[in-house]
Amino acid sequence: MGRYYRLSKKITEDMATEILKEIHDISDVEKAEFAEEKTKILILTGEKKYPEVMTKIVNIFSRIGVDCALSFAGFAYEE
């Protein structure tokens, strides 16, 4: 099961590319992809890994996305 997070502001294509690059460098991230025209991001990791992984991802968004914050938007269930 994954989790969706809503972005607090619009980011550029260059920002999105750099953010995904850094997120994919986090060893515990199984999947990361933008959704709904980059207004949300889907993150998949081990259930017990979310606090650690999301702390890193929130910092990446804040730094690269110039104070872009994330808020939980819902669960993504595998089909």
mmCIF file with all atom_site columns, all heavy atoms in Angstrom, residues 34-57:
data_model
loop_
_atom_site.group_PDB
_atom_site.id
_atom_site.type_symbol
_atom_site.label_atom_id
_atom_site.label_alt_id
_atom_site.label_comp_id
_atom_site.label_asym_id
_atom_site.label_entity_id
_atom_site.label_seq_id
_atom_site.pdbx_PDB_ins_code
_atom_site.Cartn_x
_atom_site.Cartn_y
_atom_site.Cartn_z
_atom_site.occupancy
_atom_site.B_iso_or_equiv
_atom_site.pdbx_formal_charge
_atom_site.auth_seq_id
_atom_site.auth_comp_id
_atom_site.auth_asym_id
_atom_site.auth_atom_id
_atom_site.pdbx_PDB_model_num
ATOM 1   N N   . PHE A 1 34 ? 4.784  11.440 -9.445  1.00 0.00 ? 34 PHE A N   1
ATOM 2   C CA  . PHE A 1 34 ? 3.813  12.517 -9.322  1.00 0.00 ? 34 PHE A CA  1
ATOM 3   C C   . PHE A 1 34 ? 2.487  12.085 -9.930  1.00 0.00 ? 34 PHE A C   1
ATOM 4   O O   . PHE A 1 34 ? 2.442  11.255 -10.835 1.00 0.00 ? 34 PHE A O   1
ATOM 5   C CB  . PHE A 1 34 ? 4.326  13.786 -10.025 1.00 0.00 ? 34 PHE A CB  1
ATOM 6   C CG  . PHE A 1 34 ? 5.387  14.498 -9.235  1.00 0.00 ? 34 PHE A CG  1
ATOM 7   C CD1 . PHE A 1 34 ? 6.722  14.367 -9.567  1.00 0.00 ? 34 PHE A CD1 1
ATOM 8   C CD2 . PHE A 1 34 ? 5.049  15.292 -8.155  1.00 0.00 ? 34 PHE A CD2 1
ATOM 9   C CE1 . PHE A 1 34 ? 7.702  15.012 -8.838  1.00 0.00 ? 34 PHE A CE1 1
ATOM 10  C CE2 . PHE A 1 34 ? 6.016  15.941 -7.407  1.00 0.00 ? 34 PHE A CE2 1
ATOM 11  C CZ  . PHE A 1 34 ? 7.349  15.804 -7.756  1.00 0.00 ? 34 PHE A CZ  1
ATOM 12  N N   . ALA A 1 35 ? 1.410  12.673 -9.422  1.00 0.00 ? 35 ALA A N   1
ATOM 13  C CA  . ALA A 1 35 ? 0.062  12.382 -9.909  1.00 0.00 ? 35 ALA A CA  1
ATOM 14  C C   . ALA A 1 35 ? -0.718 13.686 -10.017 1.00 0.00 ? 35 ALA A C   1
ATOM 15  O O   . ALA A 1 35 ? -0.344 14.713 -9.427  1.00 0.00 ? 35 ALA A O   1
ATOM 16  C CB  . ALA A 1 35 ? -0.647 11.428 -8.949  1.00 0.00 ? 35 ALA A CB  1
ATOM 17  N N   . GLU A 1 36 ? -1.802 13.633 -10.780 1.00 0.00 ? 36 GLU A N   1
ATOM 18  C CA  . GLU A 1 36 ? -2.719 14.766 -10.913 1.00 0.00 ? 36 GLU A CA  1
ATOM 19  C C   . GLU A 1 36 ? -1.984 16.071 -11.230 1.00 0.00 ? 36 GLU A C   1
ATOM 20  O O   . GLU A 1 36 ? -2.089 17.062 -10.506 1.00 0.00 ? 36 GLU A O   1
ATOM 21  C CB  . GLU A 1 36 ? -3.584 14.913 -9.666  1.00 0.00 ? 36 GLU A CB  1
ATOM 22  C CG  . GLU A 1 36 ? -4.478 13.710 -9.424  1.00 0.00 ? 36 GLU A CG  1
ATOM 23  C CD  . GLU A 1 36 ? -5.353 13.843 -8.197  1.00 0.00 ? 36 GLU A CD  1
ATOM 24  O OE1 . GLU A 1 36 ? -5.558 14.968 -7.711  1.00 0.00 ? 36 GLU A OE1 1
ATOM 25  O OE2 . GLU A 1 36 ? -5.839 12.801 -7.728  1.00 0.00 ? 36 GLU A OE2 1
ATOM 26  N N   . GLU A 1 37 ? -1.245 16.031 -12.331 1.00 0.00 ? 37 GLU A N   1
ATOM 27  C CA  . GLU A 1 37 ? -0.509 17.201 -12.833 1.00 0.00 ? 37 GLU A CA  1
ATOM 28  C C   . GLU A 1 37 ? 0.417  17.819 -11.781 1.00 0.00 ? 37 GLU A C   1
ATOM 29  O O   . GLU A 1 37 ? 0.471  19.024 -11.585 1.00 0.00 ? 37 GLU A O   1
ATOM 30  C CB  . GLU A 1 37 ? -1.485 18.243 -13.369 1.00 0.00 ? 37 GLU A CB  1
ATOM 31  C CG  . GLU A 1 37 ? -2.295 17.726 -14.545 1.00 0.00 ? 37 GLU A CG  1
ATOM 32  C CD  . GLU A 1 37 ? -3.254 18.764 -15.121 1.00 0.00 ? 37 GLU A CD  1
ATOM 33  O OE1 . GLU A 1 37 ? -3.161 19.948 -14.739 1.00 0.00 ? 37 GLU A OE1 1
ATOM 34  O OE2 . GLU A 1 37 ? -4.073 18.368 -15.943 1.00 0.00 ? 37 GLU A OE2 1
ATOM 35  N N   . LYS A 1 38 ? 1.123  16.945 -11.086 1.00 0.00 ? 38 LYS A N   1
ATOM 36  C CA  . LYS A 1 38 ? 2.101  17.333 -10.065 1.00 0.00 ? 38 LYS A CA  1
ATOM 37  C C   . LYS A 1 38 ? 1.479  18.056 -8.874  1.00 0.00 ? 38 LYS A C   1
ATOM 38  O O   . LYS A 1 38 ? 2.147  18.849 -8.207  1.00 0.00 ? 38 LYS A O   1
ATOM 39  C CB  . LYS A 1 38 ? 3.237  18.153 -10.665 1.00 0.00 ? 38 LYS A CB  1
ATOM 40  C CG  . LYS A 1 38 ? 4.089  17.379 -11.635 1.00 0.00 ? 38 LYS A CG  1
ATOM 41  C CD  . LYS A 1 38 ? 5.256  18.231 -12.085 1.00 0.00 ? 38 LYS A CD  1
ATOM 42  C CE  . LYS A 1 38 ? 5.842  17.705 -13.350 1.00 0.00 ? 38 LYS A CE  1
ATOM 43  N NZ  . LYS A 1 38 ? 5.003  17.862 -14.529 1.00 0.00 ? 38 LYS A NZ  1
ATOM 44  N N   . THR A 1 39 ? 0.217  17.776 -8.566  1.00 0.00 ? 39 THR A N   1
ATOM 45  C CA  . THR A 1 39 ? -0.383 18.328 -7.354  1.00 0.00 ? 39 THR A CA  1
ATOM 46  C C   . THR A 1 39 ? -0.289 17.341 -6.194  1.00 0.00 ? 39 THR A C   1
ATOM 47  O O   . THR A 1 39 ? -0.503 17.701 -5.042  1.00 0.00 ? 39 THR A O   1
ATOM 48  C CB  . THR A 1 39 ? -1.867 18.704 -7.565  1.00 0.00 ? 39 THR A CB  1
ATOM 49  O OG1 . THR A 1 39 ? -2.606 17.524 -7.901  1.00 0.00 ? 39 THR A OG1 1
ATOM 50  C CG2 . THR A 1 39 ? -2.013 19.748 -8.658  1.00 0.00 ? 39 THR A CG2 1
ATOM 51  N N   . LYS A 1 40 ? 0.044  16.075 -6.519  1.00 0.00 ? 40 LYS A N   1
ATOM 52  C CA  . LYS A 1 40 ? 0.233  15.025 -5.519  1.00 0.00 ? 40 LYS A CA  1
ATOM 53  C C   . LYS A 1 40 ? 1.453  14.194 -5.885  1.00 0.00 ? 40 LYS A C   1
ATOM 54  O O   . LYS A 1 40 ? 1.876  14.173 -7.031  1.00 0.00 ? 40 LYS A O   1
ATOM 55  C CB  . LYS A 1 40 ? -0.967 14.067 -5.486  1.00 0.00 ? 40 LYS A CB  1
ATOM 56  C CG  . LYS A 1 40 ? -2.231 14.631 -4.937  1.00 0.00 ? 40 LYS A CG  1
ATOM 57  C CD  . LYS A 1 40 ? -3.291 13.533 -4.913  1.00 0.00 ? 40 LYS A CD  1
ATOM 58  C CE  . LYS A 1 40 ? -4.599 14.027 -4.384  1.00 0.00 ? 40 LYS A CE  1
ATOM 59  N NZ  . LYS A 1 40 ? -5.623 12.948 -4.411  1.00 0.00 ? 40 LYS A NZ  1
ATOM 60  N N   . ILE A 1 41 ? 1.970  13.495 -4.876  1.00 0.00 ? 41 ILE A N   1
ATOM 61  C CA  . ILE A 1 41 ? 3.037  12.524 -5.122  1.00 0.00 ? 41 ILE A CA  1
ATOM 62  C C   . ILE A 1 41 ? 2.669  11.226 -4.412  1.00 0.00 ? 41 ILE A C   1
ATOM 63  O O   . ILE A 1 41 ? 2.137  11.248 -3.299  1.00 0.00 ? 41 ILE A O   1
ATOM 64  C CB  . ILE A 1 41 ? 4.422  13.042 -4.674  1.00 0.00 ? 41 ILE A CB  1
ATOM 65  C CG1 . ILE A 1 41 ? 5.509  12.080 -5.144  1.00 0.00 ? 41 ILE A CG1 1
ATOM 66  C CG2 . ILE A 1 41 ? 4.478  13.311 -3.182  1.00 0.00 ? 41 ILE A CG2 1
ATOM 67  C CD1 . ILE A 1 41 ? 6.908  12.637 -5.127  1.00 0.00 ? 41 ILE A CD1 1
ATOM 68  N N   . LEU A 1 42 ? 2.914  10.120 -5.086  1.00 0.00 ? 42 LEU A N   1
ATOM 69  C CA  . LEU A 1 42 ? 2.704  8.794  -4.526  1.00 0.00 ? 42 LEU A CA  1
ATOM 70  C C   . LEU A 1 42 ? 4.044  8.268  -4.032  1.00 0.00 ? 42 LEU A C   1
ATOM 71  O O   . LEU A 1 42 ? 5.040  8.310  -4.763  1.00 0.00 ? 42 LEU A O   1
ATOM 72  C CB  . LEU A 1 42 ? 2.160  7.849  -5.601  1.00 0.00 ? 42 LEU A CB  1
ATOM 73  C CG  . LEU A 1 42 ? 2.101  6.365  -5.244  1.00 0.00 ? 42 LEU A CG  1
ATOM 74  C CD1 . LEU A 1 42 ? 1.122  6.111  -4.105  1.00 0.00 ? 42 LEU A CD1 1
ATOM 75  C CD2 . LEU A 1 42 ? 1.745  5.536  -6.456  1.00 0.00 ? 42 LEU A CD2 1
ATOM 76  N N   . ILE A 1 43 ? 4.052  7.778  -2.795  1.00 0.00 ? 43 ILE A N   1
ATOM 77  C CA  . ILE A 1 43 ? 5.262  7.220  -2.198  1.00 0.00 ? 43 ILE A CA  1
ATOM 78  C C   . ILE A 1 43 ? 4.945  5.811  -1.710  1.00 0.00 ? 43 ILE A C   1
ATOM 79  O O   . ILE A 1 43 ? 3.974  5.604  -0.986  1.00 0.00 ? 43 ILE A O   1
ATOM 80  C CB  . ILE A 1 43 ? 5.752  8.071  -1.004  1.00 0.00 ? 43 ILE A CB  1
ATOM 81  C CG1 . ILE A 1 43 ? 6.016  9.517  -1.415  1.00 0.00 ? 43 ILE A CG1 1
ATOM 82  C CG2 . ILE A 1 43 ? 6.975  7.439  -0.346  1.00 0.00 ? 43 ILE A CG2 1
ATOM 83  C CD1 . ILE A 1 43 ? 7.158  9.709  -2.391  1.00 0.00 ? 43 ILE A CD1 1
ATOM 84  N N   . LEU A 1 44 ? 5.776  4.855  -2.100  1.00 0.00 ? 44 LEU A N   1
ATOM 85  C CA  . LEU A 1 44 ? 5.673  3.482  -1.606  1.00 0.00 ? 44 LEU A CA  1
ATOM 86  C C   . LEU A 1 44 ? 6.956  3.124  -0.879  1.00 0.00 ? 44 LEU A C   1
ATOM 87  O O   . LEU A 1 44 ? 8.055  3.299  -1.430  1.00 0.00 ? 44 LEU A O   1
ATOM 88  C CB  . LEU A 1 44 ? 5.484  2.493  -2.760  1.00 0.00 ? 44 LEU A CB  1
ATOM 89  C CG  . LEU A 1 44 ? 4.068  2.170  -3.190  1.00 0.00 ? 44 LEU A CG  1
ATOM 90  C CD1 . LEU A 1 44 ? 3.448  3.343  -3.886  1.00 0.00 ? 44 LEU A CD1 1
ATOM 91  C CD2 . LEU A 1 44 ? 4.066  0.967  -4.079  1.00 0.00 ? 44 LEU A CD2 1
ATOM 92  N N   . THR A 1 45 ? 6.804  2.646  0.350   1.00 0.00 ? 45 THR A N   1
ATOM 93  C CA  . THR A 1 45 ? 7.918  2.167  1.152   1.00 0.00 ? 45 THR A CA  1
ATOM 94  C C   . THR A 1 45 ? 7.355  1.187  2.163   1.00 0.00 ? 45 THR A C   1
ATOM 95  O O   . THR A 1 45 ? 6.138  1.019  2.256   1.00 0.00 ? 45 THR A O   1
ATOM 96  C CB  . THR A 1 45 ? 8.668  3.330  1.833   1.00 0.00 ? 45 THR A CB  1
ATOM 97  O OG1 . THR A 1 45 ? 9.869  2.829  2.432   1.00 0.00 ? 45 THR A OG1 1
ATOM 98  C CG2 . THR A 1 45 ? 7.840  4.015  2.888   1.00 0.00 ? 45 THR A CG2 1
ATOM 99  N N   . GLY A 1 46 ? 8.198  0.540  2.913   1.00 0.00 ? 46 GLY A N   1
ATOM 100 C CA  . GLY A 1 46 ? 7.727  -0.368 3.961   1.00 0.00 ? 46 GLY A CA  1
ATOM 101 C C   . GLY A 1 46 ? 6.923  0.397  4.995   1.00 0.00 ? 46 GLY A C   1
ATOM 102 O O   . GLY A 1 46 ? 7.234  1.549  5.320   1.00 0.00 ? 46 GLY A O   1
ATOM 103 N N   . GLU A 1 47 ? 5.857  -0.221 5.506   1.00 0.00 ? 47 GLU A N   1
ATOM 104 C CA  . GLU A 1 47 ? 4.939  0.460  6.434   1.00 0.00 ? 47 GLU A CA  1
ATOM 105 C C   . GLU A 1 47 ? 5.663  1.113  7.609   1.00 0.00 ? 47 GLU A C   1
ATOM 106 O O   . GLU A 1 47 ? 5.363  2.230  7.984   1.00 0.00 ? 47 GLU A O   1
ATOM 107 C CB  . GLU A 1 47 ? 3.883  -0.527 6.935   1.00 0.00 ? 47 GLU A CB  1
ATOM 108 C CG  . GLU A 1 47 ? 2.750  0.130  7.671   1.00 0.00 ? 47 GLU A CG  1
ATOM 109 C CD  . GLU A 1 47 ? 1.938  1.120  6.835   1.00 0.00 ? 47 GLU A CD  1
ATOM 110 O OE1 . GLU A 1 47 ? 1.782  0.909  5.613   1.00 0.00 ? 47 GLU A OE1 1
ATOM 111 O OE2 . GLU A 1 47 ? 1.471  2.119  7.410   1.00 0.00 ? 47 GLU A OE2 1
ATOM 112 N N   . LYS A 1 48 ? 6.631  0.442  8.165   1.00 0.00 ? 48 LYS A N   1
ATOM 113 C CA  . LYS A 1 48 ? 7.352  0.988  9.315   1.00 0.00 ? 48 LYS A CA  1
ATOM 114 C C   . LYS A 1 48 ? 8.415  2.009  8.918   1.00 0.00 ? 48 LYS A C   1
ATOM 115 O O   . LYS A 1 48 ? 9.010  2.658  9.767   1.00 0.00 ? 48 LYS A O   1
ATOM 116 C CB  . LYS A 1 48 ? 7.981  -0.144 10.122  1.00 0.00 ? 48 LYS A CB  1
ATOM 117 C CG  . LYS A 1 48 ? 6.943  -1.048 10.753  1.00 0.00 ? 48 LYS A CG  1
ATOM 118 C CD  . LYS A 1 48 ? 7.585  -2.127 11.572  1.00 0.00 ? 48 LYS A CD  1
ATOM 119 C CE  . LYS A 1 48 ? 6.572  -3.149 11.992  1.00 0.00 ? 48 LYS A CE  1
ATOM 120 N NZ  . LYS A 1 48 ? 6.072  -3.056 13.291  1.00 0.00 ? 48 LYS A NZ  1
ATOM 121 N N   . LYS A 1 49 ? 8.646  2.167  7.628   1.00 0.00 ? 49 LYS A N   1
ATOM 122 C CA  . LYS A 1 49 ? 9.686  3.076  7.135   1.00 0.00 ? 49 LYS A CA  1
ATOM 123 C C   . LYS A 1 49 ? 9.137  4.480  6.846   1.00 0.00 ? 49 LYS A C   1
ATOM 124 O O   . LYS A 1 49 ? 9.909  5.409  6.617   1.00 0.00 ? 49 LYS A O   1
ATOM 125 C CB  . LYS A 1 49 ? 10.315 2.529  5.850   1.00 0.00 ? 49 LYS A CB  1
ATOM 126 C CG  . LYS A 1 49 ? 10.933 1.167  5.999   1.00 0.00 ? 49 LYS A CG  1
ATOM 127 C CD  . LYS A 1 49 ? 12.321 1.271  6.504   1.00 0.00 ? 49 LYS A CD  1
ATOM 128 C CE  . LYS A 1 49 ? 12.965 -0.106 6.538   1.00 0.00 ? 49 LYS A CE  1
ATOM 129 N NZ  . LYS A 1 49 ? 14.305 -0.068 6.999   1.00 0.00 ? 49 LYS A NZ  1
ATOM 130 N N   . TYR A 1 50 ? 7.804  4.655  6.788   1.00 0.00 ? 50 TYR A N   1
ATOM 131 C CA  . TYR A 1 50 ? 7.247  5.943  6.393   1.00 0.00 ? 50 TYR A CA  1
ATOM 132 C C   . TYR A 1 50 ? 7.750  7.131  7.222   1.00 0.00 ? 50 TYR A C   1
ATOM 133 O O   . TYR A 1 50 ? 8.107  8.160  6.641   1.00 0.00 ? 50 TYR A O   1
ATOM 134 C CB  . TYR A 1 50 ? 5.712  5.909  6.379   1.00 0.00 ? 50 TYR A CB  1
ATOM 135 C CG  . TYR A 1 50 ? 5.168  5.427  5.058   1.00 0.00 ? 50 TYR A CG  1
ATOM 136 C CD1 . TYR A 1 50 ? 4.710  4.132  4.910   1.00 0.00 ? 50 TYR A CD1 1
ATOM 137 C CD2 . TYR A 1 50 ? 5.148  6.260  3.953   1.00 0.00 ? 50 TYR A CD2 1
ATOM 138 C CE1 . TYR A 1 50 ? 4.237  3.671  3.688   1.00 0.00 ? 50 TYR A CE1 1
ATOM 139 C CE2 . TYR A 1 50 ? 4.681  5.813  2.730   1.00 0.00 ? 50 TYR A CE2 1
ATOM 140 C CZ  . TYR A 1 50 ? 4.227  4.514  2.609   1.00 0.00 ? 50 TYR A CZ  1
ATOM 141 O OH  . TYR A 1 50 ? 3.765  4.070  1.404   1.00 0.00 ? 50 TYR A OH  1
ATOM 142 N N   . PRO A 1 51 ? 7.795  7.056  8.544   1.00 0.00 ? 51 PRO A N   1
ATOM 143 C CA  . PRO A 1 51 ? 8.273  8.238  9.293   1.00 0.00 ? 51 PRO A CA  1
ATOM 144 C C   . PRO A 1 51 ? 9.674  8.692  8.876   1.00 0.00 ? 51 PRO A C   1
ATOM 145 O O   . PRO A 1 51 ? 9.902  9.878  8.615   1.00 0.00 ? 51 PRO A O   1
ATOM 146 C CB  . PRO A 1 51 ? 8.243  7.779  10.750  1.00 0.00 ? 51 PRO A CB  1
ATOM 147 C CG  . PRO A 1 51 ? 7.199  6.710  10.770  1.00 0.00 ? 51 PRO A CG  1
ATOM 148 C CD  . PRO A 1 51 ? 7.337  5.993  9.447   1.00 0.00 ? 51 PRO A CD  1
ATOM 149 N N   . GLU A 1 52 ? 10.593 7.757  8.770   1.00 0.00 ? 52 GLU A N   1
ATOM 150 C CA  . GLU A 1 52 ? 11.968 8.090  8.395   1.00 0.00 ? 52 GLU A CA  1
ATOM 151 C C   . GLU A 1 52 ? 12.052 8.587  6.953   1.00 0.00 ? 52 GLU A C   1
ATOM 152 O O   . GLU A 1 52 ? 12.676 9.610  6.662   1.00 0.00 ? 52 GLU A O   1
ATOM 153 C CB  . GLU A 1 52 ? 12.857 6.861  8.575   1.00 0.00 ? 52 GLU A CB  1
ATOM 154 C CG  . GLU A 1 52 ? 14.295 7.084  8.180   1.00 0.00 ? 52 GLU A CG  1
ATOM 155 C CD  . GLU A 1 52 ? 15.122 5.809  8.279   1.00 0.00 ? 52 GLU A CD  1
ATOM 156 O OE1 . GLU A 1 52 ? 14.701 4.862  8.970   1.00 0.00 ? 52 GLU A OE1 1
ATOM 157 O OE2 . GLU A 1 52 ? 16.184 5.773  7.655   1.00 0.00 ? 52 GLU A OE2 1
ATOM 158 N N   . VAL A 1 53 ? 11.400 7.866  6.042   1.00 0.00 ? 53 VAL A N   1
ATOM 159 C CA  . VAL A 1 53 ? 11.436 8.219  4.623   1.00 0.00 ? 53 VAL A CA  1
ATOM 160 C C   . VAL A 1 53 ? 10.771 9.569  4.392   1.00 0.00 ? 53 VAL A C   1
ATOM 161 O O   . VAL A 1 53 ? 11.302 10.425 3.669   1.00 0.00 ? 53 VAL A O   1
ATOM 162 C CB  . VAL A 1 53 ? 10.760 7.112  3.777   1.00 0.00 ? 53 VAL A CB  1
ATOM 163 C CG1 . VAL A 1 53 ? 10.447 7.590  2.384   1.00 0.00 ? 53 VAL A CG1 1
ATOM 164 C CG2 . VAL A 1 53 ? 11.638 5.876  3.729   1.00 0.00 ? 53 VAL A CG2 1
ATOM 165 N N   . MET A 1 54 ? 9.612  9.790  5.001   1.00 0.00 ? 54 MET A N   1
ATOM 166 C CA  . MET A 1 54 ? 8.885  11.041 4.749   1.00 0.00 ? 54 MET A CA  1
ATOM 167 C C   . MET A 1 54 ? 9.592  12.249 5.357   1.00 0.00 ? 54 MET A C   1
ATOM 168 O O   . MET A 1 54 ? 9.489  13.349 4.814   1.00 0.00 ? 54 MET A O   1
ATOM 169 C CB  . MET A 1 54 ? 7.441  10.930 5.236   1.00 0.00 ? 54 MET A CB  1
ATOM 170 C CG  . MET A 1 54 ? 6.590  10.024 4.364   1.00 0.00 ? 54 MET A CG  1
ATOM 171 S SD  . MET A 1 54 ? 6.720  10.339 2.574   1.00 0.00 ? 54 MET A SD  1
ATOM 172 C CE  . MET A 1 54 ? 6.171  12.046 2.467   1.00 0.00 ? 54 MET A CE  1
ATOM 173 N N   . THR A 1 55 ? 10.313 12.061 6.426   1.00 0.00 ? 55 THR A N   1
ATOM 174 C CA  . THR A 1 55 ? 11.106 13.172 6.977   1.00 0.00 ? 55 THR A CA  1
ATOM 175 C C   . THR A 1 55 ? 12.113 13.647 5.930   1.00 0.00 ? 55 THR A C   1
ATOM 176 O O   . THR A 1 55 ? 12.267 14.848 5.691   1.00 0.00 ? 55 THR A O   1
ATOM 177 C CB  . THR A 1 55 ? 11.829 12.737 8.267   1.00 0.00 ? 55 THR A CB  1
ATOM 178 O OG1 . THR A 1 55 ? 10.846 12.418 9.243   1.00 0.00 ? 55 THR A OG1 1
ATOM 179 C CG2 . THR A 1 55 ? 12.742 13.840 8.785   1.00 0.00 ? 55 THR A CG2 1
ATOM 180 N N   . LYS A 1 56 ? 12.776 12.695 5.275   1.00 0.00 ? 56 LYS A N   1
ATOM 181 C CA  . LYS A 1 56 ? 13.742 13.041 4.225   1.00 0.00 ? 56 LYS A CA  1
ATOM 182 C C   . LYS A 1 56 ? 13.042 13.701 3.037   1.00 0.00 ? 56 LYS A C   1
ATOM 183 O O   . LYS A 1 56 ? 13.519 14.699 2.489   1.00 0.00 ? 56 LYS A O   1
ATOM 184 C CB  . LYS A 1 56 ? 14.495 11.793 3.763   1.00 0.00 ? 56 LYS A CB  1
ATOM 185 C CG  . LYS A 1 56 ? 15.403 11.204 4.824   1.00 0.00 ? 56 LYS A CG  1
ATOM 186 C CD  . LYS A 1 56 ? 16.029 9.906  4.359   1.00 0.00 ? 56 LYS A CD  1
ATOM 187 C CE  . LYS A 1 56 ? 16.875 9.291  5.460   1.00 0.00 ? 56 LYS A CE  1
ATOM 188 N NZ  . LYS A 1 56 ? 17.441 7.997  5.065   1.00 0.00 ? 56 LYS A NZ  1
ATOM 189 N N   . ILE A 1 57 ? 11.899 13.141 2.623   1.00 0.00 ? 57 ILE A N   1
ATOM 190 C CA  . ILE A 1 57 ? 11.185 13.662 1.455   1.00 0.00 ? 57 ILE A CA  1
ATOM 191 C C   . ILE A 1 57 ? 10.630 15.054 1.719   1.00 0.00 ? 57 ILE A C   1
ATOM 192 O O   . ILE A 1 57 ? 10.705 15.932 0.850   1.00 0.00 ? 57 ILE A O   1
ATOM 193 C CB  . ILE A 1 57 ? 10.089 12.674 1.018   1.00 0.00 ? 57 ILE A CB  1
ATOM 194 C CG1 . ILE A 1 57 ? 10.745 11.400 0.457   1.00 0.00 ? 57 ILE A CG1 1
ATOM 195 C CG2 . ILE A 1 57 ? 9.149  13.312 -0.005  1.00 0.00 ? 57 ILE A CG2 1
ATOM 196 C CD1 . ILE A 1 57 ? 9.782  10.278 0.125   1.00 0.00 ? 57 ILE A CD1 1
#
